[in-house]
Amino acid sequence: LFYMVFLNLEDLGEQHKHTLSILLGSAAILFFVGMPLHFWGNVESYTANKEQFQKVEDALDMIPSDAIVHATPFYVAHCAERDEIYLYDMNDVNQDTQTIPNMDYFDFFVFGPNTEIGEFTTPILEKNGWTVLEEVNNRVVIYQNPAFLTDRRGLKSNYYKII
């Protein structure tokens, strides 16, 4: 749209060119100043809850670097310093049979406990003997495979590794 305006500047009179340049400049200022202000609430929220976010980071740091982790999108970046990390979402579960295919391939599951996937996953993991490594104020829960470090079953993953 801006490109078309500039192409048609030749057709405008001097007064319209002046008015248009003021309007375009004002729109640009509002756009570029207004966009970051939308995120100001995130800065305030982080500042007010910085201690809680640090607890989440400390909990995620408890996961060994050689562990195979299955994490929901929000936690993938926080767990990324390892050889194998996989994205975990509702596409990875079988809702009809209430199962998580290949769940024994993973050493740890990381997710928010009060999310849809958390409410689906928790009973399945607990039924299969997985234990809570750490939970932080309903923000994150980390489940550990009971076979972690005792039995690397040589299982192959059907998931795509996030690089």
Tab-separated table of all heavy atoms in Angstrom, residues 60-100:
chain	number	residue	atom	x	y	z
A	60	LEU	N	14.694	-26.860	36.075
A	60	LEU	CA	15.070	-27.397	34.766
A	60	LEU	C	16.559	-27.731	34.709
A	60	LEU	O	16.965	-28.651	33.996
A	60	LEU	CB	14.686	-26.422	33.660
A	60	LEU	CG	13.180	-26.186	33.505
A	60	LEU	CD1	12.907	-25.079	32.503
A	60	LEU	CD2	12.470	-27.465	33.092
A	61	ASP	N	17.359	-27.004	35.487
A	61	ASP	CA	18.794	-27.299	35.536
A	61	ASP	C	19.087	-28.622	36.243
A	61	ASP	O	20.188	-29.152	36.141
A	61	ASP	CB	19.548	-26.166	36.239
A	61	ASP	CG	19.648	-24.920	35.376
A	61	ASP	OD1	19.445	-25.025	34.144
A	61	ASP	OD2	19.912	-23.833	35.936
A	62	MET	N	18.112	-29.167	36.964
A	62	MET	CA	18.298	-30.456	37.639
A	62	MET	C	18.324	-31.618	36.656
A	62	MET	O	18.794	-32.701	36.988
A	62	MET	CB	17.163	-30.684	38.649
A	62	MET	CG	17.176	-29.710	39.814
A	62	MET	SD	15.721	-29.880	40.861
A	62	MET	CE	16.033	-31.486	41.584
A	63	ILE	N	17.823	-31.401	35.445
A	63	ILE	CA	17.811	-32.463	34.431
A	63	ILE	C	19.229	-32.640	33.904
A	63	ILE	O	19.835	-31.683	33.430
A	63	ILE	CB	16.857	-32.120	33.274
A	63	ILE	CG1	15.432	-31.907	33.801
A	63	ILE	CG2	16.895	-33.192	32.207
A	63	ILE	CD1	14.466	-31.362	32.756
A	64	PRO	N	19.780	-33.842	33.971
A	64	PRO	CA	21.146	-34.061	33.477
A	64	PRO	C	21.277	-33.724	31.987
A	64	PRO	O	20.339	-33.893	31.208
A	64	PRO	CB	21.371	-35.559	33.711
A	64	PRO	CG	20.379	-35.938	34.748
A	64	PRO	CD	19.201	-35.057	34.541
A	65	SER	N	22.444	-33.269	31.611
A	65	SER	CA	22.654	-32.833	30.230
A	65	SER	C	22.629	-33.988	29.236
A	65	SER	O	22.389	-33.776	28.051
A	65	SER	CB	23.976	-32.074	30.103
A	65	SER	OG	25.045	-32.916	30.480
A	66	ASP	N	22.862	-35.211	29.696
A	66	ASP	CA	22.833	-36.344	28.765
A	66	ASP	C	21.452	-37.006	28.699
A	66	ASP	O	21.277	-38.001	28.017
A	66	ASP	CB	23.888	-37.378	29.145
A	66	ASP	CG	23.605	-38.051	30.480
A	66	ASP	OD1	22.902	-37.445	31.315
A	66	ASP	OD2	24.091	-39.178	30.693
A	67	ALA	N	20.469	-36.440	29.377
A	67	ALA	CA	19.125	-37.013	29.391
A	67	ALA	C	18.377	-36.718	28.098
A	67	ALA	O	18.623	-35.718	27.430
A	67	ALA	CB	18.338	-36.450	30.576
A	68	ILE	N	17.460	-37.602	27.766
A	68	ILE	CA	16.586	-37.425	26.610
A	68	ILE	C	15.285	-36.828	27.134
A	68	ILE	O	14.587	-37.447	27.938
A	68	ILE	CB	16.328	-38.756	25.894
A	68	ILE	CG1	17.661	-39.363	25.440
A	68	ILE	CG2	15.386	-38.555	24.712
A	68	ILE	CD1	17.540	-40.796	24.955
A	69	VAL	N	14.983	-35.620	26.680
A	69	VAL	CA	13.884	-34.855	27.253
A	69	VAL	C	12.768	-34.660	26.239
A	69	VAL	O	13.017	-34.382	25.063
A	69	VAL	CB	14.385	-33.478	27.752
A	69	VAL	CG1	13.244	-32.644	28.312
A	69	VAL	CG2	15.475	-33.659	28.789
A	70	HIS	N	11.541	-34.798	26.711
A	70	HIS	CA	10.337	-34.525	25.922
A	70	HIS	C	9.655	-33.354	26.615
A	70	HIS	O	9.141	-33.502	27.727
A	70	HIS	CB	9.444	-35.764	25.926
A	70	HIS	CG	8.676	-35.975	24.684
A	70	HIS	ND1	7.717	-36.948	24.579
A	70	HIS	CD2	8.694	-35.362	23.484
A	70	HIS	CE1	7.189	-36.927	23.378
A	70	HIS	NE2	7.770	-35.969	22.702
A	71	ALA	N	9.664	-32.172	25.996
A	71	ALA	CA	9.171	-30.959	26.647
A	71	ALA	C	8.134	-30.251	25.784
A	71	ALA	O	8.207	-30.285	24.561
A	71	ALA	CB	10.334	-30.012	26.933
A	72	THR	N	7.193	-29.608	26.459
A	72	THR	CA	6.192	-28.821	25.742
A	72	THR	C	6.858	-27.571	25.171
A	72	THR	O	7.944	-27.192	25.609
A	72	THR	CB	5.028	-28.454	26.679
A	72	THR	OG1	5.544	-27.821	27.847
A	72	THR	CG2	4.219	-29.678	27.065
A	73	PRO	N	6.220	-26.931	24.191
A	73	PRO	CA	6.864	-25.823	23.478
A	73	PRO	C	7.445	-24.727	24.369
A	73	PRO	O	8.524	-24.209	24.090
A	73	PRO	CB	5.751	-25.275	22.592
A	73	PRO	CG	4.868	-26.442	22.338
A	73	PRO	CD	4.901	-27.247	23.606
A	74	PHE	N	6.764	-24.375	25.444
A	74	PHE	CA	7.249	-23.300	26.309
A	74	PHE	C	8.587	-23.651	26.960
A	74	PHE	O	9.402	-22.772	27.229
A	74	PHE	CB	6.212	-22.978	27.387
A	74	PHE	CG	6.574	-21.803	28.232
A	74	PHE	CD1	6.411	-20.514	27.752
A	74	PHE	CD2	7.092	-21.974	29.506
A	74	PHE	CE1	6.755	-19.414	28.528
A	74	PHE	CE2	7.431	-20.891	30.290
A	74	PHE	CZ	7.261	-19.606	29.804
A	75	TYR	N	8.828	-24.925	27.206
A	75	TYR	CA	10.038	-25.329	27.931
A	75	TYR	C	11.149	-25.863	27.033
A	75	TYR	O	12.248	-26.125	27.522
A	75	TYR	CB	9.684	-26.366	29.001
A	75	TYR	CG	8.782	-25.776	30.053
A	75	TYR	CD1	7.457	-26.150	30.140
A	75	TYR	CD2	9.260	-24.819	30.929
A	75	TYR	CE1	6.622	-25.586	31.095
A	75	TYR	CE2	8.434	-24.246	31.881
A	75	TYR	CZ	7.115	-24.631	31.955
A	75	TYR	OH	6.297	-24.062	32.890
A	76	VAL	N	10.905	-26.012	25.751
A	76	VAL	CA	11.938	-26.542	24.852
A	76	VAL	C	13.188	-25.670	24.877
A	76	VAL	O	14.301	-26.166	25.026
A	76	VAL	CB	11.399	-26.703	23.413
A	76	VAL	CG1	12.528	-26.901	22.425
A	76	VAL	CG2	10.432	-27.864	23.334
A	77	ALA	N	13.024	-24.379	24.765
A	77	ALA	CA	14.194	-23.488	24.748
A	77	ALA	C	14.947	-23.535	26.074
A	77	ALA	O	16.177	-23.459	26.098
A	77	ALA	CB	13.750	-22.065	24.443
A	78	HIS	N	14.221	-23.680	27.169
A	78	HIS	CA	14.853	-23.723	28.489
A	78	HIS	C	15.635	-25.021	28.701
A	78	HIS	O	16.546	-25.058	29.521
A	78	HIS	CB	13.796	-23.585	29.584
A	78	HIS	CG	13.055	-22.295	29.523
A	78	HIS	ND1	13.535	-21.127	30.061
A	78	HIS	CD2	11.861	-21.975	28.978
A	78	HIS	CE1	12.679	-20.151	29.856
A	78	HIS	NE2	11.648	-20.642	29.197
A	79	CYS	N	15.275	-26.072	27.994
A	79	CYS	CA	15.925	-27.383	28.152
A	79	CYS	C	16.878	-27.689	26.994
A	79	CYS	O	17.337	-28.814	26.863
A	79	CYS	CB	14.858	-28.488	28.202
A	79	CYS	SG	13.712	-28.366	29.556
A	80	ALA	N	17.175	-26.735	26.178
A	80	ALA	CA	17.843	-26.990	24.905
A	80	ALA	C	19.313	-27.384	25.003
A	80	ALA	O	19.874	-27.865	24.031
A	80	ALA	CB	17.712	-25.769	23.998
A	81	GLU	N	19.952	-27.233	26.138
A	81	GLU	CA	21.380	-27.528	26.236
A	81	GLU	C	21.622	-29.012	26.491
A	81	GLU	O	22.183	-29.407	27.500
A	81	GLU	CB	22.010	-26.684	27.338
A	81	GLU	CG	21.970	-25.208	27.032
A	81	GLU	CD	22.589	-24.384	28.134
A	81	GLU	OE1	23.133	-24.956	29.096
A	81	GLU	OE2	22.521	-23.163	28.031
A	82	ARG	N	21.189	-29.833	25.572
A	82	ARG	CA	21.398	-31.277	25.676
A	82	ARG	C	21.420	-31.867	24.276
A	82	ARG	O	21.050	-31.220	23.305
A	82	ARG	CB	20.344	-31.943	26.552
A	82	ARG	CG	18.939	-31.589	26.254
A	82	ARG	CD	17.993	-31.952	27.385
A	82	ARG	NE	18.542	-31.987	28.728
A	82	ARG	CZ	18.656	-30.924	29.537
A	82	ARG	NH1	18.233	-29.767	29.128
A	82	ARG	NH2	19.172	-31.040	30.736
A	83	ASP	N	21.859	-33.102	24.189
A	83	ASP	CA	21.978	-33.745	22.887
A	83	ASP	C	20.633	-34.075	22.265
A	83	ASP	O	20.467	-33.978	21.059
A	83	ASP	CB	22.802	-35.031	22.996
A	83	ASP	CG	24.261	-34.735	23.308
A	83	ASP	OD1	24.719	-33.621	23.008
A	83	ASP	OD2	24.925	-35.632	23.854
A	84	GLU	N	19.676	-34.504	23.090
A	84	GLU	CA	18.377	-34.903	22.550
A	84	GLU	C	17.245	-34.250	23.332
A	84	GLU	O	17.076	-34.518	24.524
A	84	GLU	CB	18.206	-36.427	22.596
A	84	GLU	CG	19.107	-37.160	21.632
A	84	GLU	CD	18.764	-38.627	21.551
A	84	GLU	OE1	17.613	-38.950	21.206
A	84	GLU	OE2	19.657	-39.443	21.844
A	85	ILE	N	16.487	-33.423	22.626
A	85	ILE	CA	15.277	-32.837	23.196
A	85	ILE	C	14.203	-32.897	22.123
A	85	ILE	O	14.476	-32.669	20.938
A	85	ILE	CB	15.491	-31.400	23.703
A	85	ILE	CG1	14.183	-30.885	24.311
A	85	ILE	CG2	15.999	-30.487	22.624
A	85	ILE	CD1	14.342	-29.697	25.196
A	86	TYR	N	13.021	-33.246	22.533
A	86	TYR	CA	11.921	-33.428	21.600
A	86	TYR	C	10.731	-32.587	22.026
A	86	TYR	O	10.450	-32.441	23.219
A	86	TYR	CB	11.509	-34.909	21.539
A	86	TYR	CG	12.622	-35.792	21.050
A	86	TYR	CD1	13.546	-36.338	21.928
A	86	TYR	CD2	12.765	-36.061	19.695
A	86	TYR	CE1	14.579	-37.140	21.479
A	86	TYR	CE2	13.791	-36.865	19.240
A	86	TYR	CZ	14.693	-37.395	20.124
A	86	TYR	OH	15.720	-38.177	19.681
A	87	LEU	N	10.046	-32.063	21.052
A	87	LEU	CA	8.839	-31.274	21.289
A	87	LEU	C	7.701	-32.217	21.659
A	87	LEU	O	7.458	-33.208	20.980
A	87	LEU	CB	8.483	-30.474	20.039
A	87	LEU	CG	7.220	-29.625	20.129
A	87	LEU	CD1	7.405	-28.519	21.148
A	87	LEU	CD2	6.899	-29.038	18.772
A	88	TYR	N	7.005	-31.884	22.730
A	88	TYR	CA	5.899	-32.704	23.211
A	88	TYR	C	4.610	-31.894	23.146
A	88	TYR	O	4.496	-30.842	23.764
A	88	TYR	CB	6.175	-33.146	24.645
A	88	TYR	CG	5.094	-33.997	25.255
A	88	TYR	CD1	4.627	-35.131	24.606
A	88	TYR	CD2	4.543	-33.682	26.480
A	88	TYR	CE1	3.646	-35.925	25.165
A	88	TYR	CE2	3.566	-34.475	27.057
A	88	TYR	CZ	3.119	-35.588	26.396
A	88	TYR	OH	2.148	-36.372	26.949
A	89	ASP	N	3.672	-32.363	22.360
A	89	ASP	CA	2.362	-31.707	22.286
A	89	ASP	C	1.287	-32.765	22.081
A	89	ASP	O	1.567	-33.963	22.101
A	89	ASP	CB	2.327	-30.623	21.204
A	89	ASP	CG	2.630	-31.141	19.809
A	89	ASP	OD1	2.463	-32.357	19.557
A	89	ASP	OD2	3.019	-30.339	18.954
A	90	MET	N	0.057	-32.338	21.894
A	90	MET	CA	-1.060	-33.279	21.802
A	90	MET	C	-0.981	-34.161	20.557
A	90	MET	O	-1.688	-35.163	20.478
A	90	MET	CB	-2.393	-32.529	21.851
A	90	MET	CG	-2.693	-31.902	23.210
A	90	MET	SD	-2.638	-33.049	24.605
A	90	MET	CE	-4.189	-33.914	24.413
A	91	ASN	N	-0.128	-33.830	19.610
A	91	ASN	CA	0.077	-34.698	18.448
A	91	ASN	C	0.879	-35.946	18.807
A	91	ASN	O	0.933	-36.894	18.036
A	91	ASN	CB	0.786	-33.941	17.325
A	91	ASN	CG	-0.068	-32.843	16.764
A	91	ASN	OD1	-1.259	-33.023	16.538
A	91	ASN	ND2	0.523	-31.674	16.557
A	92	ASP	N	1.522	-35.937	19.970
A	92	ASP	CA	2.358	-37.059	20.394
A	92	ASP	C	1.630	-38.069	21.263
A	92	ASP	O	2.248	-38.998	21.769
A	92	ASP	CB	3.576	-36.533	21.174
A	92	ASP	CG	4.462	-35.667	20.314
A	92	ASP	OD1	4.646	-36.006	19.135
A	92	ASP	OD2	4.958	-34.648	20.814
A	93	VAL	N	0.334	-37.869	21.473
A	93	VAL	CA	-0.422	-38.768	22.344
A	93	VAL	C	-1.559	-39.413	21.567
A	93	VAL	O	-2.003	-38.901	20.548
A	93	VAL	CB	-0.989	-38.018	23.574
A	93	VAL	CG1	0.123	-37.403	24.386
A	93	VAL	CG2	-2.002	-36.969	23.169
A	94	ASN	N	-1.997	-40.551	22.065
A	94	ASN	CA	-3.162	-41.214	21.483
A	94	ASN	C	-4.311	-41.024	22.467
A	94	ASN	O	-4.403	-41.720	23.479
A	94	ASN	CB	-2.882	-42.694	21.247
A	94	ASN	CG	-3.998	-43.370	20.497
A	94	ASN	OD1	-5.164	-42.967	20.577
A	94	ASN	ND2	-3.648	-44.403	19.749
A	95	GLN	N	-5.172	-40.063	22.167
A	95	GLN	CA	-6.261	-39.746	23.085
A	95	GLN	C	-7.318	-40.843	23.138
A	95	GLN	O	-7.983	-41.003	24.155
A	95	GLN	CB	-6.890	-38.410	22.711
A	95	GLN	CG	-5.950	-37.251	22.920
A	95	GLN	CD	-6.582	-35.920	22.569
A	95	GLN	OE1	-7.684	-35.841	22.058
A	95	GLN	NE2	-5.858	-34.850	22.853
A	96	ASP	N	-7.461	-41.584	22.051
A	96	ASP	CA	-8.460	-42.646	22.031
A	96	ASP	C	-8.124	-43.757	23.025
A	96	ASP	O	-8.989	-44.270	23.722
A	96	ASP	CB	-8.599	-43.232	20.620
A	96	ASP	CG	-9.133	-42.214	19.620
A	96	ASP	OD1	-9.873	-41.305	20.056
A	96	ASP	OD2	-8.805	-42.327	18.431
A	97	THR	N	-6.850	-44.132	23.059
A	97	THR	CA	-6.436	-45.219	23.955
A	97	THR	C	-5.816	-44.711	25.254
A	97	THR	O	-5.383	-45.507	26.085
A	97	THR	CB	-5.418	-46.142	23.249
A	97	THR	OG1	-4.256	-45.365	22.915
A	97	THR	CG2	-6.015	-46.767	22.010
A	98	GLN	N	-5.749	-43.374	25.407
A	98	GLN	CA	-5.167	-42.760	26.603
A	98	GLN	C	-3.739	-43.263	26.841
A	98	GLN	O	-3.389	-43.700	27.937
A	98	GLN	CB	-6.046	-43.029	27.835
A	98	GLN	CG	-7.439	-42.433	27.746
A	98	GLN	CD	-7.425	-40.934	27.939
A	98	GLN	OE1	-6.969	-40.447	28.949
A	98	GLN	NE2	-7.890	-40.193	26.946
A	99	THR	N	-2.922	-43.181	25.780
A	99	THR	CA	-1.537	-43.627	25.887
A	99	THR	C	-0.599	-42.591	25.293
A	99	THR	O	-0.999	-41.722	24.524
A	99	THR	CB	-1.316	-44.967	25.153
A	99	THR	OG1	-1.679	-44.796	23.772
A	99	THR	CG2	-2.126	-46.082	25.776
A	100	ILE	N	0.664	-42.737	25.647
A	100	ILE	CA	1.745	-41.934	25.066
A	100	ILE	C	2.675	-42.916	24.375
A	100	ILE	O	3.431	-43.631	25.045
A	100	ILE	CB	2.510	-41.146	26.140
A	100	ILE	CG1	1.550	-40.269	26.952
A	100	ILE	CG2	3.609	-40.303	25.501
A	100	ILE	CD1	2.163	-39.664	28.195
